[in-house]
Amino acid sequence: MALSTLNLSLQFGDIPYAARHRAALPRHKVVRWIRHSLAADGEITVRIVDAEEGQRLNREFRKKDYATNVLTFDYMQSPVVMADLVLCAPVVAKEAREQGKTLQAHYAHLLVHGTLHAQGWDHETSEADAEAMEAHEIKIMHRLGFKNPY
């Protein structure tokens, strides 16, 4: 399977326990996870933020006043996927602990999930769409060497 090309900007905001998050997100792995999720070439920015920035963005763009694990801002799907993926480090760390996953495995899943959103996949439109997206995520995660994230 030929993978799409990716132009990646990986950014870290002022986050708590920054070294732990940076260690879980080596650039070469982030590139691999996203490329396996792309159906077309991509230009994607991944930004790791603190809870305050995550909550502000979620409030401003989704009208939900809490920090969430991943926000996808998709700008174009064709001929190149252009998007920003914003991951909230404290939320990701908390969820990884609660779900008994490594921090790296949870980041990988959320990057796959966000990349699929950037390409038009949506789990909130119907049960059938949710099941299709989840099945696709599981397949990608398996190809990447991870267990079923659900």
Side-chain angles (χ1 to χ4, degrees):
M1 169 180 114
L3 296 177
S4 300
T5 62
L6 173 64
N7 182 357
L8 173 70
S9 174
L10 179 59
Q11 305 172 359
F12 290 86
D14 185 16
I15 58 173
Y17 309 103
R20 181 171 173 239
H21 294 274
R22 285 179 182 275
L25 290 161
R27 182 180 180 77
H28 70 281
K29 288 189 178 185
V30 172
V31 167
R32 182 172 182 262
W33 301 334
I34 293 173
R35 286 185 71 205
H36 273 80
S37 308
L38 286 170
D41 292 343
E43 294 181 15
I44 295 179
T45 296
V46 173
R47 181 163 171 79
I48 312 303
V49 301
D50 64 9
E52 183 180 328
E53 185 174 347
Q55 181 172 356
R56 181 180 55 78
L57 290 168
N58 201 24
R59 182 177 54 244
E60 288 177 14
F61 292 97
R62 294 180 64 226
K63 308 301 182 227
K64 297 182 179 187
D65 196 15
Y66 57 88
T68 190
N69 52 17
V70 60
L71 292 167
T72 301
F73 299 93
D74 58 324
Y75 308 113
M76 183 168 46
Q77 295 176 359
S78 180
V80 175
V81 177
M82 295 180 70
D84 293 337
L85 305 179
V86 179
L87 291 92
C88 183
V91 173
V92 174
K94 180 178 184 277
E95 289 177 348
R97 277 191 310 275
E98 291 171 353
Q99 297 171 21
K101 298 177 185 175
T102 66
L103 185 60
Q104 187 169 81
H106 197 40
Y107 268 124
H109 176 226
L110 293 173
L111 287 167
V112 167
H113 184 86
T115 301
L116 292 181
H117 272 306
Q119 297 171 95
W121 291 80
D122 195 339
H123 54 86
E124 295 180 351
T125 48
S126 72
E127 186 64 33
D129 288 347
E131 289 173 6
M133 185 172 178
E134 185 175 306
H136 195 50
E137 288 175 55
I138 292 167
K139 183 174 77 174
I140 293 167
M141 292 297 288
H142 179 71
R143 271 198 321 255
L144 291 168
F146 291 101
K147 293 189 263 180
N148 180 337
Y150 295 99

